[in-house]
Amino acid sequence: MSEMFCFQCEQTANGTGCKYAGVCGKSAATSNAQDELTCALIALANAANKAGRSKKTDSLIVDGLFMTVTNVNFDTTRINQFKDEAIAEKNRLAEEIPVPAAKSLFDGDKDIVSLRSTLLFGMRGMAAYAHHAGVLGLFDDEVNAWFYKGLPALLTEHSVDEWLSLLMEFGQVNLKCMALLDKANTGTYGTPEPTKVTCNIEKGPFIVVSGHDLHDLYEILEQTKDKGVNIYTHGEMLPAHAYPELKKFPHLKGNFGTAWQNQQKEFDNIPAPILFTTNCLMPPKRSYADRVFTTSVVGYPGIAHVKVDSNGKKDFTDIINKALELGGYAEDRHMSGINGGDTLTTGFGRGAVLSAADKIIEAVKTGALRHIFLVGGCDGARPGRNYYTEFVKQTPKDTAVLTLACGKFRFNDLDLGEIGGLPRVMDMGQCNDAYSAIEVAVALAKAFDCGVNDLPLTLVLSWYEQKAVCILLTLLSLGIKNIYLGPTLPAFISDNVLNLLIEKFSIKPISTPEADLKAILG
């Protein structure tokens, strides 16, 4: 049996690392191919530093790193083809530069491996954001250039202080990348508006669109106009309903299901096709594998893949025909979130929240709003994530909860009432929208003439994959302290590195909702 080593996600086997197959479903061959691709990208960065980078090298590095994020690509053949393309470009630029051995990524002193892995996984997350912005035509030269610094740094000797400095520098660059993506999304589709979204499904043909890529959703909405096919979002695509240029399509009907880790149950025998535009793909069950489609860097062996043509367009005809063939449900179907609610509200990005800043500031000053919690991040299957549901349920009525990313599906169908005319639970969007939360915190700190750490604001985060890593590094680079992190701490963080983060940033592992709320509120 071939072996692998992967500890980049939260659900890793035994909390230490997957050795024979990924808990995510990837094979040892796929995992090893992803490590080899990473090393090919390191060599390509070195070659480009010597001979000059280009749009092609930028694209190979960004898409190649994104392809190695958890639950993105399970297709070993495609990963190897991409690796070969990266090596060919490396050879064209500087043939003499070697491709490092894959084992070098995770060999050596465990604290150095920990720091190296943290930087690698952070760059994988930033690559995802850079990819999304690039699809919409926006690029940042400083962001792209940093990959050519960060990748070679992985296999260069550094002191612990130098590693920490690199991680903080990366966090600042990732902030620019998140700002770039925010500009790309809002500039293309408008500023998100608070919007109610149904969980119910109308009878007739429909398509479910999962992932994060708003451009793919827009294209499929355009191509299904007047076709009698409704469109439903899934998982992290839920916030798309809040964008004016997307919500104007009357056949964008609602949201199907809950968070990504429930898809094998929720998609069982679904009478409709599903398009996966980015990560969050799980190995499809037989009952619906024939109706799953992937696109972009996503892939799974034997699953239909929608490609981009020479003009940069995607043809979704096969998905549309599959929807018409399957026919959808014969009658309207009532569905709900985890807690039984059938309506979700999204669209509380920084535009919506800051437009109500005067109300929020006044409520804080008068004591009507005692505390704000940001409870957000990735969801996952590991036991213990119900902590976030219970935490939100137990927050006092004079507190508000901002949320983002798919972790919100643990509680976003709860009706916890209002405070100051705003719902107590406000969905700020995808994990991609963490920039909105940062901007809100900075704006409130400015209004109160204090630092972010002095605000009545606490971050309670759940992590799963590599985009959570890059967001956390950005928050730490901004000096934000006392972040509660769970449900388990990253396996790639060694004890010494954890102690360093606790000492410098007061990172706090979650305990129980009751104990943590008491510690926060006193």
Side-chain angles (χ1 to χ4, degrees), residues 14-87:
N14 301 315
T16 56
C18 296
K19 295 184 178 180
Y20 299 103
V23 174
C24 65
K26 69 181 176 182
S27 67
T30 300
S31 179
N32 292 331
Q34 290 176 340
D35 290 345
E36 291 168 3
L37 170 57
T38 301
C39 288
L41 298 175
I42 293 171
L44 175 59
N46 280 322
N49 283 336
K50 178 178 180 180
R53 46 180 279 240
S54 64
K55 287 184 179 179
K56 182 173 183 178
T57 58
D58 286 357
S59 177
L60 284 168
I61 286 174
V62 166
D63 288 357
L65 285 171
F66 192 5
M67 193 174 283
T68 63
V69 169
T70 304
N71 292 91
V72 171
N73 199 305
F74 298 79
D75 191 332
T76 307
T77 299
R78 278 187 60 204
I79 294 167
N80 282 329
Q81 288 172 346
F82 201 94
K83 176 195 70 177
D84 292 343
E85 188 176 352
I87 291 174

Coordinates of all heavy atoms in Angstrom, one line a residue, residues 14-87:
N14 N -6.5 11.0 13.1 CA -6.0 11.0 14.4 C -5.4 12.3 14.9 O -4.7 12.4 15.9 CB -4.9 9.9 14.5 CG -5.3 8.5 14.2 OD1 -6.4 8.1 14.6 ND2 -4.6 7.8 13.4
G15 N -5.8 13.4 14.2 CA -5.3 14.7 14.6 C -3.9 14.9 14.3 O -3.3 15.9 14.8
T16 N -3.2 14.0 13.6 CA -1.8 14.1 13.3 C -1.4 14.2 11.8 O -0.5 14.8 11.4 CB -1.0 13.0 14.0 OG1 -1.6 11.7 13.5 CG2 -1.2 13.0 15.5
G17 N -2.1 13.4 11.0 CA -1.8 13.4 9.6 C -2.3 12.1 8.9 O -2.4 11.0 9.5
C18 N -2.8 12.3 7.7 CA -3.3 11.1 6.9 C -2.1 10.4 6.2 O -1.3 11.1 5.6 CB -4.3 11.6 5.9 SG -5.8 12.3 6.6
K19 N -2.0 9.1 6.4 CA -0.8 8.3 5.9 C -1.1 7.4 4.7 O -0.2 7.0 4.0 CB -0.2 7.6 7.1 CG 0.3 8.5 8.2 CD 1.0 7.7 9.3 CE 1.6 8.6 10.3 NZ 2.2 7.8 11.4
Y20 N -2.3 6.9 4.6 CA -2.6 6.0 3.5 C -3.7 6.4 2.6 O -3.7 6.1 1.4 CB -3.0 4.6 4.1 CG -1.9 4.0 4.9 CD1 -2.0 4.0 6.3 CD2 -0.8 3.5 4.3 CE1 -0.9 3.5 7.1 CE2 0.3 2.9 5.1 CZ 0.2 3.0 6.5 OH 1.2 2.5 7.2
A21 N -4.6 7.3 3.1 CA -5.6 7.9 2.2 C -6.1 9.1 3.0 O -6.1 9.1 4.3 CB -6.8 6.9 2.0
G22 N -6.5 10.1 2.3 CA -7.0 11.3 3.0 C -8.4 11.1 3.6 O -9.3 10.5 2.9
V23 N -8.6 11.6 4.7 CA -10.0 11.6 5.3 C -10.9 12.4 4.3 O -12.1 12.1 4.2 CB -10.0 12.3 6.7 CG1 -11.4 12.4 7.2 CG2 -9.2 11.5 7.7
C24 N -10.4 13.3 3.6 CA -11.2 14.1 2.6 C -11.6 13.2 1.4 O -12.5 13.5 0.7 CB -10.4 15.2 2.0 SG -8.9 14.8 1.1
G25 N -11.0 12.0 1.2 CA -11.3 11.1 0.1 C -10.2 11.0 -0.9 O -10.3 10.2 -1.8
K26 N -9.2 11.8 -0.8 CA -8.1 11.7 -1.8 C -7.2 10.5 -1.6 O -7.0 10.1 -0.4 CB -7.3 13.0 -1.9 CG -6.4 13.3 -0.7 CD -5.7 14.6 -1.0 CE -4.8 14.9 0.3 NZ -4.1 16.2 0.1
S27 N -6.7 9.9 -2.7 CA -5.8 8.8 -2.6 C -4.4 9.2 -2.2 O -4.1 10.4 -2.4 CB -5.8 8.0 -3.9 OG -5.2 8.8 -4.9
A28 N -3.6 8.2 -1.9 CA -2.2 8.5 -1.6 C -1.5 9.0 -2.9 O -0.7 9.9 -2.9 CB -1.5 7.2 -1.1
A29 N -1.9 8.4 -4.0 CA -1.3 8.9 -5.3 C -1.7 10.3 -5.6 O -0.8 11.1 -6.0 CB -1.9 8.0 -6.4
T30 N -2.9 10.7 -5.3 CA -3.3 12.1 -5.5 C -2.5 13.1 -4.6 O -2.0 14.1 -5.0 CB -4.8 12.3 -5.3 OG1 -5.5 11.5 -6.2 CG2 -5.2 13.7 -5.5
S31 N -2.5 12.7 -3.3 CA -1.8 13.5 -2.3 C -0.3 13.7 -2.7 O 0.2 14.8 -2.7 CB -1.9 12.9 -0.9 OG -1.2 13.6 0.0
N32 N 0.3 12.6 -3.1 CA 1.7 12.7 -3.5 C 1.9 13.5 -4.8 O 2.9 14.3 -4.9 CB 2.3 11.3 -3.7 CG 2.4 10.5 -2.4 OD1 2.6 11.1 -1.3 ND2 2.3 9.2 -2.5
A33 N 1.0 13.4 -5.7 CA 1.0 14.2 -6.9 C 0.9 15.7 -6.6 O 1.6 16.5 -7.2 CB -0.1 13.8 -7.9
Q34 N 0.1 16.0 -5.6 CA -0.1 17.4 -5.2 C 1.2 17.9 -4.6 O 1.6 19.1 -4.8 CB -1.2 17.6 -4.2 CG -2.6 17.4 -4.8 CD -3.7 17.4 -3.9 OE1 -3.6 17.2 -2.7 NE2 -4.9 17.7 -4.3
D35 N 1.9 17.1 -3.8 CA 3.2 17.5 -3.2 C 4.2 17.7 -4.3 O 5.0 18.7 -4.3 CB 3.7 16.5 -2.2 CG 2.9 16.4 -0.9 OD1 2.1 17.4 -0.7 OD2 3.0 15.4 -0.2
E36 N 4.2 16.8 -5.3 CA 5.2 17.0 -6.4 C 4.9 18.2 -7.2 O 5.8 18.9 -7.7 CB 5.1 15.7 -7.3 CG 5.7 14.5 -6.6 CD 5.4 13.2 -7.4 OE1 4.7 13.3 -8.5 OE2 5.7 12.1 -6.9
L37 N 3.6 18.5 -7.4 CA 3.2 19.8 -8.1 C 3.7 21.0 -7.3 O 4.2 21.9 -7.9 CB 1.7 19.8 -8.2 CG 1.1 21.1 -8.7 CD1 1.7 21.6 -10.1 CD2 -0.4 21.1 -8.8
T38 N 3.6 21.0 -6.0 CA 4.0 22.1 -5.2 C 5.5 22.3 -5.4 O 6.0 23.4 -5.5 CB 3.8 21.8 -3.7 OG1 2.3 21.6 -3.5 CG2 4.2 22.9 -2.8
C39 N 6.3 21.2 -5.4 CA 7.7 21.3 -5.6 C 8.1 21.8 -7.0 O 9.0 22.5 -7.2 CB 8.4 20.0 -5.3 SG 8.4 19.5 -3.6
A40 N 7.3 21.4 -8.0 CA 7.5 21.9 -9.4 C 7.2 23.4 -9.4 O 7.9 24.2 -10.1 CB 6.5 21.2 -10.3
L41 N 6.3 23.9 -8.6 CA 6.0 25.3 -8.6 C 7.1 26.1 -7.8 O 7.4 27.2 -8.2 CB 4.6 25.6 -7.8 CG 3.4 25.0 -8.5 CD1 2.2 25.2 -7.7 CD2 3.2 25.5 -9.9
I42 N 7.7 25.5 -6.8 CA 8.9 26.1 -6.2 C 10.0 26.3 -7.2 O 10.6 27.3 -7.3 CB 9.3 25.2 -5.0 CG1 8.3 25.2 -3.9 CG2 10.7 25.7 -4.5 CD1 8.6 24.3 -2.8
A43 N 10.2 25.2 -8.0 CA 11.3 25.3 -9.0 C 10.9 26.3 -10.1 O 11.8 27.1 -10.5 CB 11.5 23.9 -9.7
L44 N 9.7 26.4 -10.5 CA 9.2 27.4 -11.4 C 9.5 28.8 -10.9 O 9.9 29.7 -11.6 CB 7.8 27.2 -11.8 CG 7.1 28.2 -12.7 CD1 7.9 28.3 -14.1 CD2 5.6 27.9 -12.9
A45 N 9.2 29.0 -9.6 CA 9.4 30.4 -9.0 C 10.8 30.7 -9.0 O 11.2 31.8 -9.4 CB 8.8 30.4 -7.6
N46 N 11.7 29.7 -8.7 CA 13.1 30.0 -8.8 C 13.6 30.3 -10.2 O 14.4 31.2 -10.4 CB 13.9 28.7 -8.2 CG 13.9 28.7 -6.7 OD1 14.0 29.7 -6.0 ND2 13.8 27.5 -6.2
A47 N 13.1 29.6 -11.1 CA 13.5 29.8 -12.5 C 13.0 31.2 -13.0 O 13.7 31.9 -13.7 CB 12.9 28.7 -13.4
A48 N 11.8 31.6 -12.6 CA 11.2 32.9 -13.0 C 12.0 34.0 -12.3 O 12.2 35.1 -12.9 CB 9.8 33.0 -12.7
N49 N 12.5 33.8 -11.1 CA 13.3 34.8 -10.4 C 14.6 35.0 -11.2 O 15.1 36.1 -11.1 CB 13.6 34.4 -9.0 CG 12.4 34.6 -8.1 OD1 11.5 35.4 -8.3 ND2 12.3 33.8 -7.0
K50 N 15.1 34.0 -11.8 CA 16.3 34.1 -12.6 C 16.1 34.7 -14.0 O 16.8 35.6 -14.5 CB 17.0 32.7 -12.7 CG 18.3 32.7 -13.5 CD 18.9 31.4 -13.6 CE 20.2 31.4 -14.4 NZ 20.8 30.1 -14.4
A51 N 15.0 34.2 -14.7 CA 14.8 34.5 -16.1 C 13.7 35.5 -16.3 O 13.6 36.0 -17.5 CB 14.6 33.3 -16.9
G52 N 12.9 35.8 -15.3 CA 11.8 36.7 -15.5 C 10.4 36.1 -15.5 O 10.2 35.1 -16.1
R53 N 9.5 36.6 -14.6 CA 8.2 36.0 -14.5 C 7.3 36.6 -15.7 O 7.7 37.5 -16.4 CB 7.5 36.3 -13.2 CG 7.7 37.8 -12.7 CD 7.0 37.9 -11.4 NE 5.6 38.1 -11.5 CZ 4.9 39.2 -11.1 NH1 5.6 40.2 -10.5 NH2 3.6 39.3 -11.2
S54 N 6.2 35.9 -15.9 CA 5.3 36.3 -16.9 C 3.8 36.0 -16.5 O 3.6 35.4 -15.4 CB 5.6 35.5 -18.2 OG 5.4 34.1 -18.0
K55 N 2.9 36.4 -17.3 CA 1.5 36.1 -17.0 C 1.3 34.5 -17.0 O 0.5 34.0 -16.2 CB 0.6 36.6 -18.1 CG 0.4 38.2 -18.0 CD -0.6 38.6 -19.0 CE -0.8 40.2 -18.9 NZ -1.8 40.7 -19.9
K56 N 2.1 33.8 -17.8 CA 1.9 32.4 -17.8 C 2.5 31.8 -16.5 O 1.8 30.9 -15.9 CB 2.7 31.8 -19.0 CG 2.6 30.3 -19.0 CD 3.2 29.7 -20.3 CE 2.9 28.2 -20.4 NZ 3.5 27.6 -21.6
T57 N 3.6 32.3 -16.0 CA 4.1 31.7 -14.8 C 3.2 32.1 -13.6 O 3.0 31.3 -12.7 CB 5.6 32.2 -14.5 OG1 5.6 33.6 -14.5 CG2 6.5 31.7 -15.6
D58 N 2.7 33.3 -13.6 CA 1.8 33.7 -12.6 C 0.6 32.8 -12.5 O 0.1 32.3 -11.5 CB 1.3 35.2 -12.8 CG 2.3 36.2 -12.5 OD1 3.4 35.9 -12.1 OD2 2.0 37.4 -12.7
S59 N 0.0 32.5 -13.7 CA -1.2 31.7 -13.8 C -0.9 30.3 -13.4 O -1.7 29.6 -12.6 CB -1.7 31.7 -15.2 OG -2.8 30.8 -15.4
L60 N 0.3 29.7 -13.8 CA 0.6 28.4 -13.4 C 0.8 28.3 -11.8 O 0.3 27.3 -11.2 CB 1.9 27.9 -14.0 CG 1.8 27.6 -15.5 CD1 3.2 27.5 -16.1 CD2 1.1 26.2 -15.7
I61 N 1.4 29.3 -11.2 CA 1.6 29.2 -9.8 C 0.3 29.4 -9.0 O 0.0 28.6 -8.1 CB 2.6 30.3 -9.4 CG1 4.0 29.8 -9.8 CG2 2.6 30.5 -7.9 CD1 5.1 30.9 -9.6
V62 N -0.5 30.4 -9.4 CA -1.8 30.6 -8.7 C -2.7 29.4 -8.8 O -3.2 28.9 -7.9 CB -2.4 31.9 -9.2 CG1 -3.9 32.0 -8.8 CG2 -1.7 33.1 -8.8
D63 N -2.9 28.9 -10.1 CA -3.8 27.8 -10.3 C -3.3 26.5 -9.7 O -4.0 25.7 -9.2 CB -4.2 27.7 -11.8 CG -5.1 28.8 -12.3 OD1 -5.5 29.6 -11.4 OD2 -5.4 28.8 -13.5
G64 N -2.0 26.3 -9.8 CA -1.4 25.1 -9.3 C -1.5 25.0 -7.8 O -1.8 24.0 -7.3
L65 N -1.3 26.1 -7.1 CA -1.4 26.1 -5.6 C -2.9 25.9 -5.3 O -3.2 25.2 -4.3 CB -0.9 27.4 -5.0 CG 0.6 27.6 -5.0 CD1 1.0 29.0 -4.6 CD2 1.2 26.6 -4.0
F66 N -3.8 26.5 -6.0 CA -5.2 26.4 -5.7 C -5.6 24.9 -5.9 O -6.5 24.4 -5.2 CB -6.0 27.3 -6.6 CG -7.5 27.4 -6.3 CD1 -8.0 26.9 -5.1 CD2 -8.3 28.2 -7.1 CE1 -9.4 27.0 -4.8 CE2 -9.7 28.3 -6.8 CZ -10.2 27.7 -5.7
M67 N -5.0 24.2 -6.9 CA -5.4 22.8 -7.2 C -5.0 21.9 -6.0 O -5.5 20.8 -5.9 CB -4.6 22.4 -8.4 CG -5.1 21.1 -9.0 SD -4.3 20.8 -10.6 CE -5.2 21.9 -11.7
T68 N -4.1 22.4 -5.1 CA -3.7 21.5 -4.0 C -4.5 21.8 -2.7 O -4.2 21.2 -1.7 CB -2.2 21.7 -3.7 OG1 -1.9 23.1 -3.3 CG2 -1.4 21.4 -4.9
V69 N -5.4 22.8 -2.7 CA -6.2 23.0 -1.6 C -7.2 21.9 -1.3 O -7.6 21.2 -2.2 CB -7.1 24.3 -1.8 CG1 -8.1 24.5 -0.7 CG2 -6.1 25.5 -1.8
T70 N -7.5 21.6 -0.1 CA -8.3 20.5 0.3 C -9.7 20.5 -0.4 O -10.3 21.6 -0.5 CB -8.6 20.5 1.8 OG1 -7.3 20.5 2.5 CG2 -9.4 19.2 2.2
N71 N -10.1 19.3 -0.9 CA -11.4 19.2 -1.5 C -11.6 19.9 -2.8 O -12.7 20.3 -3.2 CB -12.6 19.5 -0.6 CG -12.7 18.6 0.6 OD1 -12.1 18.8 1.6 ND2 -13.5 17.5 0.4
V72 N -10.5 20.1 -3.5 CA -10.5 20.8 -4.8 C -10.4 19.8 -6.0 O -11.3 19.6 -6.8 CB -9.5 21.9 -5.0 CG1 -9.4 22.4 -6.4 CG2 -9.8 23.1 -4.0
N73 N -9.3 19.1 -6.0 CA -9.0 18.2 -7.1 C -8.5 16.8 -6.7 O -7.5 16.7 -6.0 CB -7.9 18.9 -8.1 CG -8.0 18.3 -9.4 OD1 -7.9 17.1 -9.6 ND2 -8.1 19.1 -10.5
F74 N -9.3 15.8 -7.1 CA -9.0 14.4 -6.8 C -8.4 13.7 -8.0 O -8.3 12.5 -7.9 CB -10.2 13.7 -6.3 CG -10.8 14.3 -5.0 CD1 -11.6 15.5 -5.1 CD2 -10.6 13.7 -3.8 CE1 -12.2 16.0 -3.9 CE2 -11.2 14.2 -2.6 CZ -12.0 15.4 -2.7
D75 N -8.2 14.4 -9.1 CA -7.9 13.7 -10.3 C -6.3 13.7 -10.5 O -5.7 14.7 -10.9 CB -8.5 14.5 -11.5 CG -8.4 13.7 -12.8 OD1 -7.5 12.9 -13.0 OD2 -9.3 13.9 -13.7
T76 N -5.7 12.6 -10.2 CA -4.3 12.5 -10.2 C -3.7 12.7 -11.6 O -2.7 13.4 -11.7 CB -3.8 11.0 -9.7 OG1 -4.4 10.8 -8.5 CG2 -2.3 10.9 -9.6
T77 N -4.4 12.3 -12.6 CA -3.9 12.5 -14.0 C -3.8 14.0 -14.3 O -2.8 14.5 -14.9 CB -4.8 11.8 -15.0 OG1 -4.8 10.4 -14.7 CG2 -4.4 12.0 -16.4
R78 N -4.9 14.7 -14.0 CA -4.9 16.2 -14.3 C -3.8 16.9 -13.5 O -3.2 17.8 -14.0 CB -6.3 16.8 -14.0 CG -7.3 16.6 -15.1 CD -8.5 17.3 -14.9 NE -8.3 18.8 -14.7 CZ -9.1 19.6 -14.1 NH1 -10.2 19.1 -13.5 NH2 -8.8 20.9 -14.0
I79 N -3.6 16.5 -12.2 CA -2.6 17.1 -11.4 C -1.2 16.9 -12.0 O -0.4 17.8 -12.1 CB -2.7 16.6 -9.9 CG1 -4.0 17.0 -9.3 CG2 -1.5 17.1 -9.1 CD1 -4.4 16.3 -8.0
N80 N -1.0 15.7 -12.4 CA 0.3 15.4 -13.0 C 0.5 16.1 -14.3 O 1.6 16.6 -14.6 CB 0.5 13.9 -13.2 CG 0.8 13.1 -11.9 OD1 1.5 13.7 -11.1 ND2 0.3 11.9 -11.8
Q81 N -0.5 16.3 -15.1 CA -0.4 17.0 -16.3 C -0.1 18.5 -16.0 O 0.7 19.1 -16.7 CB -1.8 17.0 -17.1 CG -2.0 15.6 -17.7 CD -3.4 15.5 -18.3 OE1 -4.3 16.3 -18.1 NE2 -3.7 14.4 -19.1
F82 N -0.7 19.0 -15.0 CA -0.4 20.4 -14.6 C 1.0 20.5 -14.1 O 1.7 21.5 -14.4 CB -1.4 20.9 -13.5 CG -1.5 22.4 -13.4 CD1 -2.5 23.0 -14.1 CD2 -0.7 23.1 -12.7 CE1 -2.7 24.4 -14.1 CE2 -0.8 24.5 -12.6 CZ -1.8 25.1 -13.3
K83 N 1.5 19.5 -13.4 CA 2.9 19.5 -12.9 C 3.8 19.5 -14.1 O 4.8 20.2 -14.1 CB 3.1 18.3 -12.0 CG 4.5 18.1 -11.5 CD 4.8 16.7 -11.0 CE 4.7 15.7 -12.1 NZ 5.0 14.3 -11.6
D84 N 3.5 18.7 -15.0 CA 4.4 18.6 -16.2 C 4.5 19.9 -17.0 O 5.5 20.3 -17.5 CB 3.9 17.5 -17.2 CG 4.1 16.1 -16.6 OD1 4.9 15.9 -15.6 OD2 3.4 15.1 -17.1
E85 N 3.3 20.6 -17.0 CA 3.3 21.9 -17.7 C 4.2 22.9 -16.9 O 4.9 23.7 -17.5 CB 1.9 22.4 -17.8 CG 1.7 23.7 -18.6 CD 0.2 24.1 -18.8 OE1 -0.7 23.3 -18.4 OE2 0.0 25.2 -19.3
A86 N 4.1 22.9 -15.6 CA 4.9 23.8 -14.8 C 6.4 23.5 -15.0 O 7.2 24.4 -15.1 CB 4.5 23.6 -13.3
I87 N 6.7 22.2 -15.0 CA 8.2 21.8 -15.2 C 8.6 22.2 -16.6 O 9.8 22.7 -16.8 CB 8.3 20.3 -15.0 CG1 8.1 20.0 -13.5 CG2 9.7 19.8 -15.4 CD1 8.2 18.5 -13.1

